[in-house]
Amino acid sequence: MSPPRIRRRRAADLDGCVAALADVHRVDRYPLNWPADPHRWLREPHPARAWVAVDAGGTIVGHVAVRRLPDSAEEPTAEVSRLFVAPAARGSALGTALLVRARHWADARGLRLMLEVVADSPAAVALYERTGWRCTGTGTASWTAPDGSPVSLRRYTVRSDAEPAIAARRRASSAAASRSSAGSTTSIS
């Protein structure tokens, strides 16, 4: 059997994504609160890019989305969200492959990636830590569990494979700006 193919998500994929998500929710309780409109939940918060994993029979067996976050004083950042792999497709490193696809997309745009995960999701936490993500903190979600209790989150970030190249471009740009102000006592650093 050939491994699932990862491609950009299309509008016509949403029914298949919801079917896979329903299987994930039944087995893993992800998402913790089943959305009133799962199609809308997958389309929001307006991802910059989303991908699906499709098996040889054309069934969607995985999904990941990335959305750009508002620019901050630090560096451009994007958030990985809506990552899931259907139970029947697990064990083939598909979650890792979907994260790699998102990471390559972010690297090409000079974006740092981050994500939040429910703290008591050991399989998800293990996946992120195994694939190079670093926990940067914890917090409480702005939403609650189905029983109304607070939900603890873990925040993760991953070092971009492109960061050394991006830093070098920034240094080169700074140096060029400095040279272009020849004769001036002001330098840009």
Side-chain angles (χ1 to χ4, degrees):
M1 177 179 239
S2 62
R5 179 176 61 96
I6 298 173
R7 63 166 170 75
R8 194 166 175 186
R9 187 184 77 195
R10 303 175 191 141
D13 294 329
L14 287 175
D15 286 339
C17 290
V18 169
L21 183 63
D23 287 343
V24 170
H25 181 73
R26 206 171 16 262
V27 171
D28 299 325
R29 304 275 307 139
Y30 175 82
L32 190 58
N33 298 303
W34 183 254
D37 182 350
H39 289 83
R40 182 176 178 179
W41 185 82
L42 286 165
R43 290 190 313 266
E44 293 181 350
H46 307 294
R49 189 66 49 100
W51 299 268
V52 293
V54 182
D55 70 11
T59 302
I60 293 174
V61 295
H63 179 274
V64 69
V66 177
R67 72 177 182 105
R68 287 196 67 147
L69 297 176
D71 287 339
S72 69
E74 294 175 16
E75 61 186 309
T77 304
E79 178 182 34
V80 170
S81 64
R82 313 307 195 231
L83 173 64
F84 57 89
V85 174
R90 293 183 183 164
S92 61
L94 188 52
T96 299
L98 287 162
L99 285 170
V100 165
R101 180 62 59 98
R103 195 167 174 178
H104 286 310
W105 180 87
D107 286 350
R109 288 154 185 79
L111 299 170
R112 174 178 291 279
L113 281 178
M114 61 83 58
L115 60 83
E116 291 182 327
V117 63
V118 173
D120 65 354
S121 298
V125 167
L127 168 67
Y128 299 131
E129 292 180 357
R130 184 175 61 247
T131 57
W133 291 76
R134 183 175 52 87
C135 184
T136 58
T138 59
T140 302
S142 60
W143 42 273
T144 62
D147 66 3
S149 64
V151 176
S152 295
L153 299 174
R154 293 173 60 104
R155 290 184 188 90
Y156 283 86
T157 189
V158 68
R159 179 180 167 86
S160 166
D161 292 334
E163 281 183 26
I166 292 165
R169 282 196 306 268
R170 286 182 184 143
R171 283 192 301 275
S173 175
S174 241
S178 230
R179 284 191 301 275
S180 72
S181 64
S184 167
T185 59
T186 305
S187 68
I188 300 171
S189 54

